[in-house]
Amino acid sequence: MFDRNRCLRQAVAVASLWCLATGCGVLPPDSSRDEEPIVVGTTSAPSTLDPAASWDSSWELFRNVYQTLLSYPNGATVPQPDAAERCAFTDGSNRVYRCELRKGLTFSNGDAVDARAVKHSLDRIRKINLNGGPAGLLGSLDRVRAPSGREVVFHLNKPDATFPFVLATPAMSIVHPGSYPAGAVREDGGIVGSGPYTLKSYDEGEKAELVRNDRYRGFAEHRNSAVTVRYFQDSRAMVRALREDRIQVTYRGLAADDIVSLRSEETGDAGIQLVEGTGTDINYLVFNPGDPWAGKKAVRRAVAQVVDRAALAHRVYKDTVDPLYSMVPKGLTGHTTGFFDTYGDPSAARARRILTAAGITGPVPLTLWYTTDRYGSETALAFEELERQLEASGLFTVTLESRPWKTYVEGYRKGEYPVFGRGWFPDFPDAENFIAPFVGERNALGTPYPAPRITDVLLPRSRARSDRADVVRDFEEAQQILVDDVRLLPLWQGKQYVAAGDDISGVGRALDPSTIMTMWELHRKTSW
């Protein structure tokens, strides 16, 4: 595993050294200010409040209001107990996993969190089985037992060393059995969880008000009493709110121009810190095999041959992202550069030969879809750049279409889009999580992708090995299959940028290994 927090800690240390060098004054604590909620801005609003219905960045909120058996205390890169007191495989084949719950756990309404609640939470995910939902994470789970009030036993249908990582994802949040139907998604806008915060109020697409949950029992240590999350449509409005102190932290969706501006020397005088770290989020295109043009491998290969990732990263994202040539990002064991190795530099001539060999002679009509409010303010510009590149080759005529995220999700789940853009924030920091979610009949894309060599051989074999260094060859082969099929086309890998007022501490500690912000780490400085 890699140390995601190292760069963040360095950035915070630099800010502290600058303060010492320039002689920052020491101010008495402002107790009235400390009582105010810390306001955090993001451009990623939840698509749902029910964990059984989400395999997206709704998890940002879930991590803070729900509890999972395992999670990531600060500095951990492998799951550690949270709602559980202890968990372990009890057999030698990684097929029986047992957890014992902490004593005295309760939901925010005072009801006990017991083994029955854990079983109910996981069983309903599979029963609801929402297309594009988190049921795909539980492919190795056969059944859940609750032999006693505090004991939960998971029986797997095949060895799976990654199962503890799955249990640590917010999709596996423990929900109150009486408040979440066994066979339907809860849609009343309420939450009953046992996480570090309770949801005081929720205004969809606008804000979520979180207050400290004094009933919480787990590893998290509250450094604040309340956090309000505000949802923005674009980076510019979010940064304006930061400069005006209407929010104190940003954690998703900073646009490239705003990052460049926040880096500037002049911005330093405005009392804003910018923390940069390595990220593992990726952005990619999905080709619909049911479309008459996108379903042709020659067309997909020709697109892969034309797309210029370096130009996309430089022109649109101002080098705040890196070109990506595999679905597995840099920094993870097993990463390759398969698309570059196969296609090399962009070439319209080679793309033309690919199409001609397949009997395709005229310009190929393609419709590319993107979402207007999910992956940052540059998304529209990025798709305009892709349109420019493809049409400049003389081989494609491109139409761009877009929708807000909630209706966008419905569209790709129904197979309405020939080619569409998606982003991926990892469920857990392992190469498997950049391969397994995208293949199989039911996957995170809502678009079936049968890949029997991956699903029936490579992934099961890798899951049987606890030492992840032993599975590199399997992941390399899986990535090459993705390159050969070109059903998914990786574009770029992100970096992590968090901007905050200079009176806020804990920013460097607040991102877990899947880059989800743990709000309880944030707090105001008591001296400066």
Side-chain angles (χ1 to χ4, degrees):
M1 298 297 178
F2 60 99
D3 185 357
R4 178 185 308 281
N5 294 315
R6 176 170 55 85
C7 293
L8 297 174
R9 288 195 296 268
Q10 288 174 343
V12 173
V14 168
S16 299
L17 289 173
W18 177 85
C19 178
L20 291 173
T22 55
C24 300
V26 178
L27 301 177
D30 183 347
S31 58
S32 62
R33 179 71 163 160
D34 287 343
E35 293 301 315
E36 295 178 10
I38 293 176
V39 186
V40 180
T42 176
T43 60
S44 294
S47 59
T48 177
L49 297 185
D50 189 335
S54 170
W55 201 348
D56 60 27
S57 57
S58 303
W59 289 10
E60 301 275 11
L61 181 61
F62 295 172
R63 175 64 80 204
N64 291 277
V65 295
Y66 293 109
Q67 196 171 18
T68 46
L69 289 170
L70 303 167
S71 192
Y72 297 96
N74 182 258
T77 54
V78 294
Q80 305 293 323
D82 187 12
E85 186 172 283
R86 61 181 65 88
C87 291
F89 282 105
T90 61
D91 65 335
S93 62
N94 293 337
R95 294 185 62 170
V96 181
Y97 195 72
R98 178 185 178 275
C99 290
E100 184 177 340
L101 293 172
R102 293 177 187 261
K103 294 180 180 178
L105 291 178
T106 63
F107 287 105
S108 55
N109 66 358
D111 291 346
V113 175
D114 56 15
R116 182 179 66 90
V118 176
K119 174 176 167 56
H120 173 83
S121 300
L122 270 71
D123 284 348
R124 68 187 295 268
I125 292 172
R126 298 199 297 169
K127 185 172 183 178
I128 293 170
N129 198 23
L130 188 70
N131 188 24
L137 285 167
L138 295 173
S140 65
L141 180 62
D142 179 46
R143 60 194 173 98
V144 186
R145 292 193 303 116
S148 67
R150 292 176 55 207
E151 182 183 12
V152 189
V153 181
F154 304 92
H155 295 270
L156 309 184
N157 52 37
K158 51 196 169 189
D160 187 357
T162 69
F163 190 69
F165 289 91
V166 173
L167 289 180
T169 67
M172 305 301 134
S173 295
I174 304 169
V175 299
H176 184 260
S179 304
Y180 294 78
V185 174
R186 179 177 177 175
E187 296 181 340
D188 64 355
I191 283 177
V192 182
S194 59
Y197 296 94
T198 59
L199 185 65
K200 178 182 177 182
S201 69
Y202 181 69
D203 186 357
E204 184 175 352
E206 297 294 330
K207 67 178 179 179
E209 294 184 330
L210 312 182
V211 295
R212 173 177 174 152
N213 177 15
D214 290 326
R215 298 181 186 272
Y216 168 75
R217 299 292 181 270
F219 70 82
E221 296 182 10
H222 292 87
R223 297 172 184 268
N224 60 67
S225 59
V227 171
T228 295
V229 184
R230 284 195 55 200
Y231 302 111
F232 291 85
Q233 292 297 312
D234 60 71
S235 174
R236 182 175 299 178
M238 183 167 66
V239 171
R240 186 184 309 118
L242 178 68
R243 293 183 187 279
E244 295 172 357
D245 198 33
R246 289 183 284 114
I247 66 173
Q248 287 76 57
V249 184
T250 71
Y251 76 99
R252 285 278 186 234
L254 282 176
D257 286 340
D258 289 319
I259 292 170
V260 172
S261 174
L262 288 167
R263 277 178 177 158
S264 70
E265 219 171 286
E266 293 78 13
T267 303
D269 297 334
I272 295 175
Q273 55 178 315
L274 179 68
V275 180
E276 177 180 341
T278 303
T280 53
D281 58 300
I282 66 172
N283 197 273
Y284 56 96
L285 294 178
V286 183
F287 293 89
N288 185 348
D291 181 76
W293 288 107
K296 298 178 185 294
K297 182 183 286 190
V299 170
R300 302 195 299 267
R301 291 181 61 215
V303 172
Q305 186 64 75
V306 168
V307 168
D308 189 339
R309 296 168 176 81
L312 186 68
H314 180 68
R315 291 176 181 171
V316 176
Y317 292 96
K318 309 295 194 298
D319 300 316
T320 60
V321 303
D322 292 323
L324 182 63
Y325 298 94
S326 167
M327 290 298 288
V328 177
K330 294 180 294 183
L332 294 186
T333 300
H335 164 74
T336 69
T337 54
F339 276 90
F340 185 82
D341 299 340
T342 299
Y343 295 98
D345 293 325
S347 170
R350 288 196 293 269
R352 185 180 299 277
R353 288 196 290 271
I354 291 170
L355 293 174
T356 301
I360 301 171
T361 55
V364 175
L366 285 180
T367 301
L368 275 58
W369 281 82
Y370 64 92
T371 180
T372 57
D373 56 353
R374 174 61 40 162
Y375 302 120
S377 304
E378 298 92 352
T379 303
L381 296 176
F383 273 78
E384 290 171 6
E385 171 64 13
L386 290 171
E387 177 187 30
R388 186 196 66 77
Q389 292 179 9
L390 292 171
E391 292 199 334
S393 71
L395 304 174
F396 301 93
T397 57
V398 176
T399 301
L400 298 182
E401 298 284 356
S402 63
R403 287 177 178 171
W405 177 250
K406 290 202 80 168
T407 53
Y408 185 74
V409 172
E410 295 170 3
Y412 72 67
R413 285 176 176 171
K414 294 176 182 177
E416 294 178 358
Y417 310 147
V419 186
F420 60 97
R422 282 293 309 269
W424 184 251
F425 299 95
D427 305 326
F428 51 86
D430 190 280
E432 146 130 355
N433 195 235
F434 291 87
I435 296 173
F438 309 123
V439 295
E441 288 297 327
R442 299 187 70 84
N443 56 50
L445 303 172
T447 303
Y449 181 4
R453 175 67 181 170
I454 297 177
T455 57
D456 299 345
V457 179
L458 300 178
L459 290 176
R461 190 163 67 197
S462 72
R463 288 167 179 162
R465 298 169 181 160
S466 298
D467 188 342
R468 307 310 285 162
D470 293 340
V471 300
V472 170
R473 289 187 179 180
D474 288 338
F475 287 143
E476 289 175 345
E477 183 180 346
Q479 287 170 87
Q480 190 56 48
I481 291 171
L482 299 181
V483 170
D484 294 341
D485 291 344
V486 206
R487 286 281 305 277
L488 308 168
L489 186 65
L491 298 174
W492 53 259
Q493 174 178 350
K495 302 174 185 178
Q496 289 302 314
Y497 295 94
V498 180
D502 60 11
D503 64 333
I504 299 295
S505 288
V507 176
R509 296 170 53 90
L511 295 180
D512 77 2
S514 54
T515 68
I516 290 176
M517 181 166 281
T518 53
M519 305 292 184
W520 58 84
E521 294 285 1
L522 302 173
H523 60 99
R524 289 186 172 87
K525 298 174 182 176
T526 55
S527 63
W528 184 244

